[in-house]
């Protein structure tokens, strides 16, 4: 049997592995972080950030948009991937430097279908949830943190049980594959103003997923 791993991060040395999630602290340089922010600004001009409604009737505190074939979307009818921005336009392409990070850590065999862009302003949070709107859980999810520090919490594949928290900082990358792919996770809070990357503060998270 070949012991060649399927995804590149499996042959790399993360700075930590927490409940199966591979953490690559400081993976993205300061210069590259600034370039990513410039790309996200252009992206958000073509596909403006919006506050998704939830099936529970309250809007999310995180503002979001997407790039790629599909965008992640939520409204009164539930969570799903949509082929168009709520204002009707197709989603912009995933920026090249973002795809380069996916290729470096995941694979050159397939690109992600969706790059979800989450923006956390002061007081924004994301409750504990699983990412399970995708057709295929064999592909890992990759997440990039930019801007203010965020207190990230992970639980278990089932609801409830003990949780572990750690801070995500600008330039950190997480890869969730294998048994960690369906772990519950959320963002309890951000330390608004802790990073100089975004002049007006806040945090950007990019989450790359094979969705279709
Ligand atoms: C663990 N975003 O968009 S990224 C999300 O920082 C989301 O905005 C958070 O959860 C954020 O769905 C957390 C880290 C993350 C992303 C996807 C995961 C952790 C994950 C999928 C499976 C397990
Ligand atoms: Fe998630």
């Amino acid at each position: 049997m070949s012991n060649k791993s399927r995804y590149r991060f499996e042959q790399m040395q993360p700075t930590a592995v927490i409940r199966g999630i591979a953490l690559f602290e400081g993976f993205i340089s300061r210069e590259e972080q600034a370039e990513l922010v410039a790309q996200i600004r252009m992206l958000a001009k073509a596909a403006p950030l919006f506050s998704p409604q939830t099936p529970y009737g309250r809007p999310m505190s995180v503002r979001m948009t997407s790039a790629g074939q599909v965008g992640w979307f939520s409204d009164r009818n539930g969570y799903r991937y949509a082929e168009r921005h709520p204002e009707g336009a197709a989603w912009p392409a995933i920026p090249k430097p973002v795809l380069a990070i996916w290729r470096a850590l995941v694979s050159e065999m397939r690109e992600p279908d969706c790059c979800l862009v989450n923006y956390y302003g002061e007081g924004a949070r994301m409750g504990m949830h699983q990412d399970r709107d995708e057709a295929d859980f064999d592909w890992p999810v990759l997440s990039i943190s930019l801007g203010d520090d965020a207190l990230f919490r992970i639980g278990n594949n089932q609801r409830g049980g003990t949780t572990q928290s750690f801070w995500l900082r600008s330039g950190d990358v997480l890869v969730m594959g294998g048994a960690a792919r369906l772990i519950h996770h959320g963002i309890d809070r951000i330390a608004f103003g802790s990073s100089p990357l975004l002049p007006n503060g806040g945090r950007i998270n990019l989450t790359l997923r094979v969705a279709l």
Side-chain angles (χ1 to χ4, degrees), residues 17 24 37 47 51 74 84 89 110 121 131 143 175 189 198-199 210:
V17 178
F24 294 87
V37 171
S51 301
S74 167
R84 288 177 178 277
R110 185 166 175 178
D131 287 18
S143 145
V175 188
R189 60 191 163 90
L198 304 175
V210 169

Side-chain angles (χ1 to χ4, degrees), residues 67-71 81 94 110-115 208-212:
Q69 289 297 118
V70 290
Y81 285 95
I94 301 176
R110 185 166 175 178
E111 288 185 357
D113 303 307
C114 177
C115 171
L208 301 174
R209 305 189 189 97
V210 169
L212 304 176

Side-chain angles (χ1 to χ4, degrees), residues 40 42-50 64-67 85 87 89-92:
I40 300 311
M42 287 191 279
L43 199 166
K45 283 210 173 78
L49 292 164
F50 56 93
M64 54 182 68
T65 188
S66 289
H85 187 276
E87 288 167 20
W91 304 100

Side-chain angles (χ1 to χ4, degrees), residues 93-167:
I94 301 176
K96 290 259 158 54
V98 175
L99 290 175
I101 296 165
W102 172 272
R103 281 196 296 272
L105 280 169
V106 178
S107 173
E108 312 202 339
M109 299 295 290
R110 185 166 175 178
E111 288 185 357
D113 303 307
C114 177
C115 171
L116 175 66
V117 178
N118 292 319
Y119 176 74
Y120 294 74
E122 193 162 14
R125 54 183 300 280
M126 189 178 284
M128 294 286 280
H129 66 277
Q130 290 173 296
D131 287 18
R132 56 174 191 193
D133 299 322
E134 298 74 33
D136 180 355
F137 300 136
D138 286 346
W139 283 91
V141 174
L142 185 152
S143 145
I144 299 167
S145 292
L146 298 168
D148 290 343
D149 301 349
L151 187 57
F152 180 64
R153 184 200 292 262
I154 51 171
N156 304 282
N157 286 348
Q158 310 296 323
R159 292 185 65 166
T162 64
T163 64
Q164 255 176 286
S165 296
F166 54 95
W167 287 91

Side-chain angles (χ1 to χ4, degrees), residues 14-79:
T15 50
V17 178
I18 304 129
R19 299 194 180 186
I21 295 179
L23 169 62
F24 294 87
E25 285 170 284
F27 189 77
I28 304 170
S29 71
R30 261 304 150 107
E31 297 70 42
E32 202 182 343
Q33 292 173 42
E35 172 60 21
L36 289 171
V37 171
Q39 297 280 337
I40 300 311
R41 285 192 199 288
M42 287 191 279
L43 199 166
K45 283 210 173 78
L49 292 164
F50 56 93
S51 301
Q53 287 292 328
T54 62
Y56 317 106
R58 282 206 302 165
M60 297 180 69
S61 59
V62 177
R63 293 197 294 148
M64 54 182 68
T65 188
S66 289
Q69 289 297 118
V70 290
W72 190 83
F73 183 77
S74 167
D75 63 14
R76 303 284 295 274
N77 300 319
Y79 308 116

